[in-house]
Amino acid sequence: MDPYAVLGVARDAPTDEIRQAYVALARRTHPDVRGDDPAAAEQMRRINLAWEMLSDADSRAAIDRRLSRPPQPKAPQSASPAGERAAPPTDDDIYAGHYDRDDDLDDRPITEGNLPGWMRLGAPAAFVVGIFAVIFGVMAGGFVLLRLGLLLLGLSVLLFMLSPFVVLIRSRGGPLR
């Protein structure tokens, strides 16, 4: 599906123009406006999907890359044991990532996804306090303080190692928002 064609806008159209086209089409084709037209719901679904695809900058960039590539020759569909052909994937399957495409990798750019404050300050603070606890634990002969220092050093290493994954998840709109 070409979302630009669905909304009737050029590929280089600014987001405001795309939004205006979406609103105009939605007002004309919404099932509440068109009454008992059975095609209205399907047409509105495609318009909503096109807007969803083009309103997000990362999704739009991926679509632009996909549309700029030359079309790949399609492999013949294999028949099932009963002789029935498998149903081709729908636009929803491809967009939602439920279909094994040729570009399985998520090629959206990583955007800024700031670390939470507790994690940004937690790793260096645990490291500094851990170093002092180890030094004073060794000097004073306090094994409790030494153990606490080693535990804090381990925690700081763990937080440091997890931070790139947290940034990646947050930049992709994951559950850590």
Side-chain angles (χ1 to χ4, degrees), residues 18-170:
I18 294 171
R19 185 184 62 76
Q20 289 172 354
Y22 164 73
V23 169
L25 280 171
R27 285 184 179 154
R28 285 195 312 255
T29 62
H30 197 278
D32 291 343
V33 173
R34 294 191 40 200
D36 293 335
D37 185 1
E42 175 61 22
Q43 192 173 12
M44 192 65 207
R45 185 194 66 79
R46 291 180 61 82
I47 291 169
N48 284 334
L49 180 61
W51 167 246
E52 183 181 332
M53 294 167 77
L54 295 178
S55 63
D56 178 57
D58 294 336
S59 173
R60 184 175 179 183
I63 289 166
D64 289 342
R65 285 190 298 274
R66 177 179 55 91
L67 292 175
S68 66
R69 286 192 301 232
Q72 301 291 327
K74 296 189 179 201
Q77 296 179 355
S78 60
S80 66
E84 300 172 2
R85 289 191 173 264
T90 64
D91 291 332
D92 289 335
D93 292 335
I94 293 171
Y95 179 67
H98 301 300
Y99 180 69
D100 188 20
R101 304 181 326 222
D102 61 344
D103 56 342
D104 278 341
L105 301 175
D106 186 359
D107 60 352
R108 292 179 293 165
I110 298 174
T111 59
E112 182 180 353
N114 296 324
L115 281 173
W118 64 268
M119 194 168 197
R120 187 177 35 229
L121 298 176
F127 181 76
V128 170
V129 173
I131 290 291
F132 281 113
V134 167
I135 291 171
F136 289 124
V138 169
M139 288 174 41
F143 291 109
V144 173
L145 198 55
L146 180 64
R147 287 183 199 162
L148 176 65
L150 293 174
L151 180 69
L152 287 173
L153 288 174
L155 178 65
S156 70
V157 168
L158 179 67
L159 288 175
F160 178 74
M161 290 174 62
L162 288 177
S163 61
F165 298 106
V166 172
V167 169
L168 181 64
I169 291 169
R170 288 178 61 143

